[in-house]
Amino acid sequence: MKETVLVLDFGGQYKELIARTVRSCNVYSQIFPGTVSIEKILSVNPIGIILTGGPDSVYHNDAVRLDKNIFELGIPVFGICYGMHLMCHSLGGEVKQGSSGEYGKVTVKPVNGEKAFYALMSHRDVVSTVPKGFRITSHTGNYIAAMENADKKLYAVQFHPETSHTEGGREIFKHFLFNVCGAKGDYLLEDYIEKETMRIKEKVKRYKDKELKPGSSKVLLALSGGVDSSVCAALLSLAVPDLLSCVFVDHGFMRQNEGDEIEKIFSKRKLKFIRVNAQERFIKRLKGIIDPEQKRKIIGEEFIRVFEEEAAKLGKIPFLAQGTIYPDIVESGGDPGAVIKSHHNVGGLPEKLGFHEVLEPLSQLFKDEVRLMGLKLGLPKHLLERQPFPGPGLAIRITGEVTEKKLKIVRHADAIVREEIGRLRKKPDQYFTVLTDTLSVGVKGDSRTYDPVIAVRAVSTSDFMTCEYSRLGHKVLDKISSRITGEVAGISRVVYDISGKPPATVEWE
């Protein structure tokens, strides 16, 4: 990449949103730990550096800090929230705890007389004295909201311009990127596709092994049917047509008609598509299992077994492909941010399968970029805009033991919810149903019923790390409830989940 902006992470929850915002302006971004060395920074040759927010207080001894020589490199720096505190503290200003915090939307007033605007604040510590050479550029009436040293190209804001709650936030980024850093905006997804296609093609076709017959598969991909693995398959089929084998393990916990849709899409591409219908063995393994963590582990282990069996049938294949994306890498490690979750795609396949190399062609892309790439590669829009779906599928959207009868119920109810909410012009970011193990008395056809309760879940989020429940209209909820209780056998009551994350999670299990 010709131009790169580094996002230095100090444990802020919006680090990925910052990096995505930069890329949406056609400037490439990478996330590094805030403790990265000067040498590493210089090796990337960035045109700008952004410091994220974080949970620490800079005046505490154990606070995460950065090498203050960063501010002497001549590279423009933009500090956000904790990043502003770091800049101030490192350069001789004063940061202290405010008499009261600022949380949520707060009015910010520029000192130059420009129109005031709303911005998202989330802080208790404040900049009380700016460093020498800096000037205050905006305030909230109570505290300093922004400062700058234009001569040294150092800028900082107390609020979060990366969120949609801040008015004009994108324009603030564009000003920093283009007016301060001098970016050309040369990051284009088309270039990424072309370069990655050529890289894979050269690597795979260059690999020689006497045991491999001419024209045999050289790349193996576990195709889940999710957005990431589907786009990965499309890119690989473009790069190495007829040298790719995709194994789709249908564990029986997919949503309505999904397995058939996946087969229809990929059986037409230049790859070897293998569908393994393993529904019976998966549900047999889950017999009597109630604990959700046990369900997840059993399904993951069984997936590995099935994949191993199918891989063995194909003979020696040197390359294993995975649909790993950039947030997977960021979330799986990185100091000082805590590990959110460890990602081991395709079920955490064991090393004994003996692959020469792992290919991860999407590992530098965010989810929205992956979806856009899928469109450019010709995948249908409805596949790319699918609701996020957990690997264990409907098995963890059934509380209690998983049975064929319960799967039929939740699959039907889920299809109704997706159909009705799908009609809305403005849709929630994720919506689905859960078949609970709570029984409820009802009346159908003048007869008493005692059936499980269906819970409907719909959330709005920008990052899926936090979310709010979606305020669906009563007309929509009434239609959903009427259809589920009228069309799905064995259901007499529907409830709507109004919990946010935190304290709840998006999924129930």
Side-chain angles (χ1 to χ4, degrees):
M1 300 300 172
K2 294 180 181 178
E3 298 180 326
T4 299
V5 168
L6 289 185
V7 177
L8 302 191
D9 174 32
F10 295 94
Q13 61 176 314
Y14 297 127
K15 59 180 176 291
E16 292 177 26
L17 190 53
I18 293 171
R20 281 166 50 198
T21 302
V22 172
R23 291 195 189 187
S24 72
C25 297
N26 298 116
V27 179
Y28 187 67
S29 63
Q30 279 187 282
I31 301 173
F32 280 7
T35 52
V36 65
S37 67
I38 293 290
E39 290 73 25
K40 179 66 175 177
I41 290 174
L42 292 176
S43 72
V44 177
N45 191 28
I47 63 170
I49 297 171
I50 299 176
L51 313 179
T52 75
D56 287 343
S57 294
V58 290
Y59 46 79
H60 289 165
N61 292 332
D62 57 352
V64 178
R65 296 192 179 89
L66 79 175
D67 188 331
K68 65 180 182 181
N69 289 318
I70 284 175
F71 302 113
E72 303 299 329
L73 296 176
I75 301 171
V77 182
F78 180 27
I80 298 174
C81 198
Y82 182 74
M84 178 178 180
H85 300 166
L86 276 172
M87 185 182 292
C88 178
H89 184 77
S90 301
L91 297 175
E94 183 181 18
V95 178
K96 65 181 182 180
Q97 187 177 100
S99 57
S100 63
E102 291 180 314
Y103 303 97
K105 287 186 177 181
V106 176
T107 300
V108 174
K109 302 174 182 178
V111 298
N112 62 5
E114 290 185 2
K115 184 180 178 182
F117 59 93
Y118 286 113
L120 179 69
M121 294 281 191
S122 183
H123 68 101
R124 182 63 185 269
D125 288 350
V126 299
V127 170
S128 56
T129 305
V130 300
K132 185 178 180 180
F134 280 74
R135 71 183 186 94
I136 298 169
T137 55
S138 67
H139 59 86
T140 63
N142 296 320
Y143 303 115
I144 297 169
M147 65 180 192
E148 69 175 40
N149 183 332
D151 291 338
K152 290 193 173 184
K153 296 184 178 181
L154 304 178
Y155 300 81
V157 296
Q158 182 64 74
F159 52 89
H160 290 275
E162 69 273 22
T163 70
S164 59
H165 300 292
T166 296
E167 293 179 297
R170 182 179 172 84
E171 296 307 312
I172 292 174
F173 275 97
K174 290 176 74 173
H175 173 75
F176 177 71
L177 295 172
F178 296 103
N179 297 341
V180 179
C181 300
K184 300 184 185 71
D186 63 357
Y187 172 59
L188 301 173
L189 202 55
E190 288 84 352
D191 294 341
Y192 186 98
I193 294 173
E194 182 181 351
K195 291 174 183 176
E196 196 62 24
T197 299
M198 290 302 299
R199 188 184 72 83
I200 294 169
K201 184 181 295 185
E202 291 175 4
K203 181 173 287 190
V204 172
K205 291 194 173 182
R206 189 172 61 237
Y207 183 84
K208 303 291 183 183
D209 193 310
K210 294 180 181 179
E211 296 181 28
L212 295 178
K213 298 178 182 178
S216 61
S217 294
K218 286 187 176 182
V219 183
L220 179 62
L221 170 69
L223 179 63
S224 69
V227 173
D228 302 337
S229 69
S230 295
V231 174
C232 186
L235 181 63
L236 290 168
S237 68
L238 177 67
V240 286
D242 304 317
L243 297 179
L244 170 66
S245 288
C246 292
V247 176
F248 168 51
V249 178
D250 189 344
H251 49 32
F253 308 135
M254 305 292 286
R255 290 170 289 199
Q256 191 161 288
N257 302 324
E258 276 190 329
D260 295 338
E261 290 175 1
I262 292 165
E263 182 172 2
K264 183 179 179 181
I265 291 168
F266 288 100
S267 59
K268 296 178 181 178
R269 290 190 168 260
K270 292 184 177 181
L271 51 83
K272 185 175 183 179
F273 180 85
I274 302 168
R275 179 175 179 174
V276 185
N277 294 310
Q279 295 92 330
E280 289 187 14
R281 64 187 287 177
F282 273 88
I283 202 162
K284 186 178 180 180
R285 285 290 315 275
L286 291 182
K287 185 175 177 60
I289 303 299
I290 296 174
D291 181 76
E293 279 305 302
Q294 274 191 280
K295 289 182 191 177
R296 289 177 179 273
K297 289 178 181 178
I298 289 171
I299 292 170
E301 290 168 1
E302 194 65 16
F303 178 88
I304 293 172
R305 301 286 85 79
V306 176
F307 190 85
E308 281 180 323
E309 293 167 13
E310 294 303 318
K313 294 176 185 176
L314 293 170
K316 185 174 182 179
I317 297 182
F319 296 95
L320 171 68
Q322 298 189 153
T324 309
I325 64 175
Y326 195 43
D328 295 342
I329 295 172
V330 173
E331 291 176 358
S332 290
D335 188 21
V339 174
I340 298 167
K341 51 184 174 180
S342 295
H343 293 264
H344 24 272
N345 287 293
V346 293
L349 297 175
E351 293 182 4
K352 69 178 182 180
L353 286 175
F355 292 99
H356 169 71
E357 190 174 338
V358 175
L359 302 177
E360 296 178 315
L362 310 181
S363 63
Q364 296 302 309
L365 300 179
F366 286 103
K367 194 76 165 188
D368 56 333
E369 294 175 304
V370 173
R371 286 194 171 98
L372 183 57
M373 178 186 281
L375 285 174
K376 293 181 182 296
L377 292 171
L379 289 178
K381 190 175 181 180
H382 73 268
L383 174 68
L384 298 169
E385 293 182 350
R386 288 173 62 205
Q387 296 290 300
F389 196 54
L394 297 177
I396 58 166
R397 289 181 178 172
I398 295 172
T399 55
E401 183 182 5
V402 178
T403 65
E404 289 283 6
K405 181 180 179 181
K406 290 180 179 180
L407 282 167
K408 186 176 180 180
I409 290 172
V410 75
R411 190 175 283 123
H412 190 175
D414 184 76
I416 291 171
V417 166
R418 288 190 290 130
E419 180 181 342
E420 292 300 329
I421 296 182
R423 301 181 199 274
L424 300 177
R425 185 172 61 180
K426 187 176 181 180
K427 304 176 185 63
D429 296 294
Q430 188 173 358
Y431 42 94
F432 56 90
T433 60
V434 176
L435 179 61
T436 75
D437 56 0
T438 298
L439 299 178
S440 169
V441 174
V443 178
K444 278 190 174 182
D446 296 327
S447 298
R448 179 186 183 274
T449 61
Y450 193 50
D451 297 322
V453 175
I454 283 281
V456 177
R457 180 81 159 135
V459 299
S460 299
T461 177
S462 60
D463 54 16
F464 286 94
M465 294 161 60
T466 61
C467 75
E468 294 181 351
Y469 80 89
S470 298
R471 274 67 169 173
L472 297 180
H474 285 284
K475 186 176 180 180
V476 176
L477 292 173
D478 180 60
K479 185 69 179 292
I480 288 171
S481 178
S482 297
R483 284 197 61 189
I484 291 177
T485 55
E487 299 175 26
V488 182
I491 297 297
S492 302
R493 190 181 301 274
V494 177
V495 298
Y496 188 52
D497 182 349
I498 60 170
S499 307
K501 176 186 179 182
T505 57
V506 176
E507 297 289 344
W508 277 40
E509 291 200 339

